Amino acid sequence: GVLGAANSGTSTSGDASARKRVPPPGLVADSRAARTSYNSIDPGVASDLEVQLGDLTHRHESVPPSEATGAYVLLERCHSCESDHALTTRHDEEEYASRAQGALAHIMGLAKGIILGASEYA
């Protein structure tokens, strides 16, 4: 009984608060800072995405994004690999483009009738 409980990580004494939480290695951020970081888009990228979204909504619904009712997918992928970051990363831009197109085709196939349009941001 007790040995089995100890092996499973549970405590029979009821004193779970006595265990210390060990923070993960790396930079520590509270949940608000992490959420803000993950939910923000670079202003330059945001304006490009707005243009692409406008193109999609105009093409599929003939309305601006603020009046659109459909669902759309914009897939961002790595680009300008050779000129921008060839010294720090080693990947094939053509492979990224091919995978992005495959992912968009797969999403559109699964969500037929739900997602009206998809585009790649590169």
Side-chain angles (χ1 to χ4, degrees):
V2 174
L3 182 58
N7 285 339
S8 67
T10 60
S11 171
T12 56
S13 68
D15 190 18
S17 63
R19 284 183 261 164
K20 283 187 153 184
R21 292 191 63 188
V22 177
L27 297 175
V28 179
D30 63 15
S31 61
R32 182 177 181 205
R35 194 171 28 250
T36 299
S37 174
Y38 285 113
N39 291 333
S40 64
I41 298 175
D42 180 270
V45 172
S47 63
D48 290 345
L49 293 175
E50 285 291 332
V51 169
Q52 288 209 354
L53 180 59
D55 291 345
L56 283 171
T57 60
H58 181 72
R59 186 175 343 136
H60 293 279
E61 297 184 67
S62 300
V63 297
S66 60
E67 296 175 19
T69 59
Y72 297 90
V73 174
L74 288 171
L75 178 69
E76 183 181 8
R77 71 164 172 87
C78 192
H79 59 91
S80 304
C81 308
E82 187 66 33
S83 61
D84 289 347
H85 51 266
L87 296 176
T88 57
T89 59
R90 293 187 179 118
H91 55 253
D92 183 357
E93 186 171 349
E94 289 179 19
E95 182 181 346
Y96 271 69
S98 175
R99 287 179 184 231
Q101 289 300 312
L104 287 173
H106 185 72
I107 291 167
M108 292 301 291
L110 290 175
K112 208 171 240 173
I114 297 170
I115 295 176
L116 299 181
S119 182
E120 174 183 342
Y121 173 72

